[in-house]
């Protein structure tokens, strides 16, 4: 079974460039799965109102700076969502963990120094 980050035991992922076609296919698959005996709790997880960001890396410029695609991906993730830098668990608050997130630029130092847009 393939599972692409969902907590469900079976996860179907539909990939494409046309969101309306993808949503139409997702609804068709959802209807088929719902009618399968033993199936419960089906859902379509795509949110059409969720903003998206497409990053295209100029690999030549990035390579000249010693930056790879993983560096760019990690930087974008840090800027958008932050990165858990530390975690503290306090017995005073029922042992719930407190996560400290790093946010901000996070660009590779050579990229920042050169001022290049990757």
């Amino acid at each position: 079974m393939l599972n692409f980050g969902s907590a469900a035991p079976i996860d179907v992922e539909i990939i494409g460039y046309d969101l309306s076609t993808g949503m139409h296919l997702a609804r068709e698959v959802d209807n088929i799965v719902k009618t399968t005996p033993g199936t419960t709790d089906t859902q379509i997880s795509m949110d059409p109102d969720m903003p998206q960001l497409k990053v295209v890396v100029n690999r030549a410029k990035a390579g000249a700076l010693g930056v790879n695609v993983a560096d760019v991906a990690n930087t974008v993730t840090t800027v958008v969502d932050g990165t858990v830098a530390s975690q503290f668990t306090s017995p005073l608050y029922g042992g719930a963990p407190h996560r400290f997130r790093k946010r901000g630029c996070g660009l590779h130092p050579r990229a920042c120094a050169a001022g290049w847009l990757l």
Side-chain angles (χ1 to χ4, degrees), residues 18-54:
D18 185 344
L19 293 179
S20 61
T21 300
M23 184 54 80
H24 176 74
L25 290 171
R27 287 187 186 113
E28 282 187 27
V29 169
D30 189 50
N31 288 333
I32 292 168
V33 172
K34 280 181 181 178
T35 60
T36 303
T39 303
T40 60
D41 301 325
T42 66
Q43 66 180 11
I44 298 173
S45 64
M46 188 196 114
D47 182 358
D49 297 326
M50 177 67 76
Q52 296 183 14
L53 174 69
K54 181 177 181 178

Side-chain angles (χ1 to χ4, degrees), residues 1 6 12 17 21-22 27 54 62 75 80 86 89 93-94 99 105:
M1 284 185 262
S6 170
V12 177
Y17 295 102
T21 300
R27 287 187 186 113
K54 181 177 181 178
T75 298
V80 172
S86 180
T89 303
Y93 298 103
R99 292 182 179 89
C105 176

Side-chain angles (χ1 to χ4, degrees), residues 9-10 13 21 32 37-38 41 65 79 81-82 87 89 91-92 105:
I10 298 175
E13 185 172 0
T21 300
I32 292 168
D41 301 325
L65 294 169
V79 169
D81 193 36
Q87 183 169 307
T89 303
L92 300 176
C105 176

